[in-house]
Amino acid sequence: MYVANNLTQMSTYTRKNQHQLQHRKHGPGLPQHSALGKRAQHDGRETFEAPNNPTNKRACHLSLSSNSELCEECSAIPWNKIDHCMGYEGRVDWHGMLISKVGRHYRNVSPATTCPLCRQLYAPWIESFLRKLEPSHWKGRDRRDEIRIFRHLRHLNHVNDFQTSRNKLKAHDAPFHIAVVPFAGEWKEDFRLHILSRGMAVVLPDGRPESDIFSPQQVSPTFDPEIVKPWLEYCKDHHKNYCSPKSLKVNGMKVIDCFSKDGDIIAHCYGNKYVALSYVWGNPPAKRAPLSTIGRKETPQMEITKYTDELPLSKLPNDIPLTIRDAIQVTRDLGYQFLWVDTYCINQKSEIEKQQQCSRMGDIYAGSQLTIFALGQDSEYGLPGVSSRPRSRPRFWQPQCTKIGKYQIISTMDDPHKAIDDAKWSTRGWTLQEAIFSTRSLFFTDSQAYFECNSMNLLEAFKTDVEKLHIQSQQRVMAFHRAGKYVCGNSNKFSHLNVKYNGANHRKIDNLRRCQTHIQEYTKRELTNKDDVLNAFAGIARFYAHTTAKIASLAGLPIPSPIATSGNVERAHLDHLSYALSWIHHVHAFSISTLRNPKPQRRVGFPSWSWAGWFGRIKSKSDLPYCWTSYLSSVRVGFKKDTPRNFAWLTKLKHYRQLIIDLLLTANELCFDAHVLNHKKLRYWQRDPETPSKRILSKAIQVNLSRGPCSLEEFQQKLKKGKLECVIIGTYGEPRKDVYKAIQVADRKSPKAEKRRIDLFERQEPDAIVCLVVGTKDGISERYGLVKITLENLSGKSAVEAWRLGPKKRFILR
């Protein structure tokens, strides 16, 4: 049946209906919440099938807005088409089904609007998207925006967009959603980013049973520990292979006794379960509420205890920051007694204790039963919803439930992953390893709590029967569901499969990819003490050194051991060194810098050839070391407090012991023999094919400088004067056959399958010669950047020989 188009004929809500919208308490038992995940693009189609008939009934729990509050534009939309779209059994692609043309109204909705549907359908992203369209998209088109409806949460960020995912959502009768989208263009990715920031508008018909996965619901204005407890219990009961905390004895470790009257700080007894806190110190105000008010209304104040060099803190000061007060309360509410907080559990006046405890910080977080993540800008921000810091819900963003006839349009919240990315916490260097090594994590965003472990991730805004998302063994969720944001050791972002100890060669490549991702993420962050750049990275270096990929962190550069163990292994390891040296910055000297993306700057005291020697985010790499041929020879590595060693020494090590890992991080010098490229043969310009009289930049030469000349012309002059040199470190080409063979034999992959294994050798770049740009003074060279020269109709070796290079030259790179 169709719903009458005239909104005045639509039924209004009775008091009985409104009573059903009240907030429900979450009872104990199986957790009913789902997780989020980044989607993968896929343009497949789907066929409609009759939905199952689950027994659980829908009741709306969000704030209700009646249809009488709709504006003129929203009232004019033919909502009766929703019935037709939901009953349509034909094939529908990712564009969804058209409900109505709506003009440009929803691009610029005033925050002061009283129309609830305008707030739900607000689409400011369309303006910027249309500016990117080619004129051909506009010609002869109706340029009005469109309201479309999408099947079974088609654009949900929780899952990938493959057919298996859509089949799963369809089988569980996941709801439809509506949105305002542009009239033309490939807007899928831009729309996905919009959903990350603002959520979705989900359509729920009256009387239709609710889906048992990904069902939107209201989030309480205060933190409810009874929601989180089932999440923790489910993880403990079912994820023992993936989520058992790696408890290691840490000598000198102390914890806060949250049940003690005075907040005692005691020595940790190995085996006692504890919770850890990750937060931003910042510079909070001096005036704070007393410790004794945690969980109480009126209690006498305590004597304030302060640090001394000789006497470590034995109990908490009275005026602890709000974030730590809230963390103590959450620890109690979840049934744990002990909490580890670096500020108070490490004597900040003792340099020896700080060095000892900070070096084991990765083990401390890995051994915690749960890590609480406070995303606020400083330690006084608190945990939203726990005590005095309220959960933020500005009216324009508040989740709404708009009633239109027999339909409820419910808005979901923004993605917690997006909230984490935007938080001050995500800009701090030390916090990355705290997230990576934590087995179970509870993030407090401004609007809700978000939980992730190594096997699943859950949030308050969606309700799901978690068992339905898990594989048969219940060890982890299915592969179509995205992994947690900081799951460490998984094969890709849509997998919870831990491959850290997997000996298969293609899994070694997975480990390398994840290591590179974590390094790129780390270089975006800041450190209060700039000299901590490798100290805060040491835990990550240790983790990947102990994977089957056996990745050495040479001053932070990830150098994996060779996959192919037959033939010249030392030569292959040298190829990997050249590959590691080919990193570049996201913003370079020729770029236009902004406050959000400043140009790189030198970090004094660390080698210029490593990303650790610079301030600035590095760019992700699309190639692999197995496609490289090194042109370096006689390589020696110098260390800050040890004698230099030949690089071949690294190849002979079967395992990286702790002393070796720490030694590699102190590398500060590379000595090698290499060819210098003849700069006179470089052709930076070419004739424009369309206008032969006009010169354009050659696409064959890519220059990325971290420092130095700010234009190509100035760079040419520096080369001519000999102030800069292009040192050939290697060539990039087809993956080596010995690597293919190693994967095929060891992993039992057929020749047909070897290139299809998670895009291992999908070539993203053409063959090229790669050079380090260096400047030399008094015999000591420093890295300035990278030059890549694309090869045409020549293999790497033939191309290098075509340059008629002279003898190699010795370089000392620092």
Side-chain angles (χ1 to χ4, degrees):
M1 291 182 61
Y2 287 73
V3 178
N5 189 29
N6 190 343
L7 290 177
T8 60
Q9 298 177 8
M10 293 183 177
S11 62
T12 59
Y13 251 52
T14 63
R15 295 184 180 220
K16 179 179 178 181
N17 297 129
Q18 293 177 1
H19 178 72
Q20 294 177 350
L21 300 177
Q22 300 302 313
H23 176 63
R24 291 185 301 184
K25 287 288 184 183
H26 303 270
L30 188 66
Q32 297 278 309
H33 302 268
S34 87
L36 293 180
K38 291 186 178 178
R39 61 186 294 106
Q41 289 192 355
H42 182 69
D43 291 342
R45 296 173 177 266
E46 56 181 301
T47 305
F48 182 86
E49 296 177 0
N52 296 330
N53 188 26
T55 58
N56 49 331
K57 296 291 183 180
R58 153 69 54 185
C60 180
H61 305 295
L62 301 180
S63 55
L64 173 68
S65 298
S66 67
N67 51 25
S68 61
E69 297 176 346
L70 298 185
C71 66
E72 183 178 349
E73 286 81 3
C74 292
S75 300
I77 295 171
W79 298 109
N80 56 330
K81 287 189 177 181
I82 291 180
D83 256 359
H84 171 72
C85 294
M86 285 188 167
Y88 179 66
E89 298 184 3
R91 303 180 71 182
V92 181
D93 67 5
W94 61 268
H95 293 88
M97 294 172 279
L98 178 66
I99 292 179
S100 177
K101 293 277 188 178
V102 293
R104 302 182 181 182
H105 170 71
Y106 295 99
R107 299 185 198 175
N108 300 289
V109 177
S110 171
T113 181
T114 58
C115 176
L117 201 57
C118 283
R119 292 196 292 268
Q120 291 177 290
L121 298 179
Y122 180 45
W125 64 278
I126 295 179
E127 288 281 1
S128 58
F129 170 77
L130 291 177
R131 284 195 289 267
K132 298 184 293 185
L133 286 184
E134 297 291 335
S136 58
H137 287 96
W138 297 76
K139 190 174 182 180
R141 300 292 299 269
D142 184 340
R143 301 183 182 182
R144 291 178 295 169
D145 297 336
E146 303 170 345
I147 289 186
R148 288 184 169 268
I149 187 168
F150 306 90
R151 280 179 177 162
H152 307 303
L153 301 180
R154 174 62 187 265
H155 293 284
L156 184 69
N157 290 298
H158 304 50
V159 299
N160 61 36
D161 196 23
F162 297 141
Q163 188 64 48
T164 52
S165 308
R166 296 197 295 275
N167 291 343
K168 189 73 175 179
L169 293 171
K170 186 188 304 181
H172 291 279
D173 197 23
F176 286 44
H177 71 102
I178 59 173
V180 177
V181 297
F183 63 88
E186 297 295 314
W187 41 260
K188 185 177 181 181
E189 183 63 21
D190 293 72
F191 182 42
R192 182 189 70 83
L193 295 175
H194 170 71
I195 291 175
L196 284 175
S197 300
R198 289 192 53 86
M200 312 173 82
V202 181
V203 181
L204 299 172
D206 284 350
R208 184 170 180 171
E210 70 176 14
S211 171
D212 51 9
I213 62 173
F214 306 128
S215 183
Q217 65 176 7
Q218 186 182 25
V219 174
S220 170
T222 59
F223 171 71
D224 184 358
E226 297 305 317
I227 293 177
V228 178
K229 285 179 180 178
W231 299 349
L232 291 169
E233 292 304 317
Y234 192 91
C235 177
K236 293 175 185 177
D237 292 343
H238 297 89
H239 302 158
K240 295 179 181 179
N241 291 347
Y242 290 93
C243 301
S244 296
K246 301 163 184 63
S247 183
L248 298 173
K249 187 173 183 179
V250 179
N251 293 328
M253 178 180 170
K254 298 188 289 287
V255 291
I256 301 168
D257 185 348
C258 299
F259 288 160
S260 65
K261 180 180 179 181
D262 297 331
D264 295 339
I265 299 175
I266 62 175
H268 175 248
C269 180
Y270 179 70
N272 282 351
K273 296 179 179 180
Y274 63 93
V275 173
L277 174 66
S278 174
Y279 68 108
V280 177
W281 284 20
N283 296 302
K287 186 176 181 180
R288 300 169 179 147
L291 168 70
S292 52
T293 61
I294 298 177
R296 311 170 195 170
K297 292 186 177 179
E298 294 182 5
T299 51
Q301 295 192 10
M302 300 181 304
E303 179 185 354
I304 296 177
T305 304
K306 297 183 177 179
Y307 282 118
T308 65
D309 289 327
E310 299 80 13
L311 181 65
L313 199 64
S314 60
K315 63 179 181 179
L316 289 176
N318 194 40
D319 57 344
I320 62 174
L322 179 60
T323 295
I324 298 172
R325 288 163 39 81
D326 287 350
I328 292 174
Q329 184 62 49
V330 171
T331 302
R332 289 176 180 174
D333 291 342
L334 296 179
Y336 292 100
Q337 181 175 357
F338 303 111
L339 174 67
W340 185 88
V341 182
D342 56 358
T343 313
Y344 298 112
C345 296
I346 301 175
N347 187 349
Q348 302 299 315
K349 296 291 185 179
S350 172
E351 291 299 326
I352 295 177
E353 182 174 335
K354 283 173 62 177
Q355 184 178 2
Q356 290 174 343
Q357 294 296 300
C358 288
S359 67
R360 301 296 302 277
M361 201 168 287
D363 294 332
I364 292 172
Y365 281 96
S368 67
Q369 294 294 307
L370 174 72
T371 301
I372 298 170
F373 288 89
L375 304 180
Q377 60 191 9
D378 55 43
S379 59
E380 279 296 335
Y381 193 84
L383 302 178
V386 173
S387 61
S388 59
R389 170 69 62 177
R391 284 177 167 174
S392 60
R393 291 183 184 176
R395 189 180 179 204
F396 195 66
W397 292 81
Q398 183 176 354
Q400 296 285 325
C401 178
T402 304
K403 180 67 176 176
I404 303 178
K406 69 175 185 179
Y407 296 106
Q408 299 162 15
I409 312 297
I410 296 181
S411 294
T412 65
M413 286 186 169
D414 57 329
D415 190 330
H417 284 202
K418 179 70 165 55
I420 293 170
D421 285 337
D422 293 343
K424 178 70 173 178
W425 176 91
S426 291
T427 68
R428 311 308 299 167
W430 282 98
T431 59
L432 179 61
Q433 71 169 354
E434 296 167 7
I436 289 174
F437 295 126
S438 297
T439 303
R440 303 184 187 100
S441 305
L442 183 62
F443 291 86
F444 282 82
T445 73
D446 281 342
S447 57
Q448 62 178 313
Y450 164 70
F451 172 83
E452 73 176 38
C453 63
N454 288 336
S455 295
M456 67 180 183
N457 46 96
L458 314 167
L459 66 156
E460 293 183 78
F462 277 90
K463 182 171 62 175
T464 287
D465 184 343
V466 179
E467 214 171 286
K468 299 288 196 303
L469 295 180
H470 276 68
I471 61 176
Q472 189 172 2
S473 69
Q474 298 296 305
Q475 284 290 321
R476 57 180 174 84
V477 296
M478 299 178 188
F480 76 89
H481 194 288
R482 105 175 145 185
K485 186 170 180 60
Y486 293 105
V487 175
C488 194
N490 57 328
S491 58
N492 59 71
K493 62 187 177 183
F494 277 99
S495 171
H496 287 77
L497 183 63
N498 193 318
V499 298
K500 176 181 178 181
Y501 300 114
N502 193 313
N505 286 312
H506 66 273
R507 292 307 186 193
K508 296 177 184 178
I509 297 175
D510 288 340
N511 279 311
L512 175 60
R513 286 292 196 207
R514 295 297 289 168
C515 180
Q516 292 172 333
T517 300
H518 286 141
I519 291 174
Q520 184 194 13
E521 170 71 20
Y522 182 72
T523 57
K524 294 191 298 185
R525 298 177 173 235
E526 304 168 357
L527 292 162
T528 303
N529 182 357
K530 62 181 179 60
D531 293 333
D532 278 340
V533 61
L534 290 177
N535 292 334
F537 182 75
I540 300 173
R542 283 194 293 272
F543 178 90
Y544 284 105
H546 294 150
T547 64
T548 53
K550 210 176 99 176
I551 300 173
S553 293
L554 197 65
L557 290 186
I559 306 172
S561 293
I563 280 183
T565 55
S566 60
N568 193 339
V569 180
E570 291 184 7
R571 183 74 243 175
H573 214 169
L574 203 57
D575 295 339
H576 296 184
L577 172 63
S578 293
Y579 163 79
L581 289 169
S582 66
W583 61 271
I584 57 176
H585 278 111
H586 183 73
V587 176
H588 55 88
F590 293 178
S591 305
I592 299 175
S593 63
T594 63
L595 289 176
R596 289 179 63 90
N597 293 294
K599 291 184 179 181
Q601 293 184 0
R602 188 75 170 88
R603 191 193 303 267
V604 179
F606 296 89
S608 64
W609 45 266
S610 168
W611 54 262
W614 301 85
F615 296 96
R617 176 160 62 111
I618 65 172
K619 200 171 183 179
S620 60
K621 295 174 73 71
S622 58
D623 55 351
L624 286 163
Y626 319 109
C627 303
W628 273 70
T629 301
S630 178
Y631 275 76
L632 304 178
S633 58
S634 303
V635 179
R636 287 178 64 82
V637 183
F639 303 95
K640 288 182 179 180
K641 297 181 180 180
D642 208 319
T643 56
R645 308 190 185 198
N646 291 327
F647 184 75
W649 155 78
L650 197 61
T651 308
K652 298 175 182 178
L653 298 176
K654 292 184 179 180
H655 304 285
Y656 294 144
R657 294 180 291 111
Q658 187 61 51
L659 290 175
I660 298 298
I661 297 171
D662 294 341
L663 175 64
L664 293 175
L665 286 172
T666 66
N668 63 351
E669 183 178 276
L670 283 179
C671 302
F672 54 80
D673 294 335
H675 293 292
V676 177
L677 197 68
N678 185 351
H679 68 87
K680 295 180 181 179
K681 294 190 176 183
L682 294 175
R683 299 291 179 263
Y684 301 98
W685 307 91
Q686 65 182 31
R687 294 186 182 278
D688 189 342
E690 298 181 0
T691 311
S693 59
K694 183 180 177 182
R695 289 197 315 164
I696 59 174
L697 284 173
S698 172
K699 295 181 180 179
I701 299 179
Q702 301 173 36
V703 181
N704 186 297
L705 299 181
S706 300
R707 66 187 295 189
C710 295
S711 67
L712 189 58
E713 291 79 6
E714 188 180 349
F715 174 62
Q716 286 180 280
Q717 292 299 319
K718 294 279 187 181
L719 290 176
K720 288 179 181 179
K721 294 178 180 180
K723 293 184 178 181
L724 296 178
E725 295 175 292
C726 292
V727 180
I728 299 177
I729 59 173
T731 59
Y732 175 75
E734 283 294 328
R736 295 195 302 274
K737 293 182 179 179
D738 57 347
V739 178
Y740 274 146
K741 187 175 181 180
I743 292 180
Q744 182 181 355
V745 174
D747 300 351
R748 298 179 182 177
K749 297 291 173 191
S750 67
K752 182 179 180 182
E754 65 186 9
K755 284 194 175 184
R756 297 184 62 186
R757 192 67 181 184
I758 57 173
D759 298 329
L760 296 183
F761 294 112
E762 285 286 334
R763 293 277 310 276
Q764 301 293 327
E765 301 177 12
D767 291 10
I769 298 175
V770 183
C771 305
L772 275 185
V773 179
V774 302
T776 304
K777 184 177 181 181
D778 299 329
I780 304 298
S781 302
E782 282 201 1
R783 178 194 183 277
Y784 274 66
L786 202 76
V787 170
K788 185 179 290 187
I789 306 163
T790 302
L791 307 178
E792 296 180 2
N793 304 320
L794 288 173
S795 65
K797 183 176 180 180
S798 301
V800 172
E801 291 175 350
W803 288 82
R804 297 179 182 177
L805 302 173
K808 287 187 173 182
K809 179 179 175 181
R810 189 68 175 172
F811 287 90
I812 302 175
L813 193 61
R814 292 181 183 170

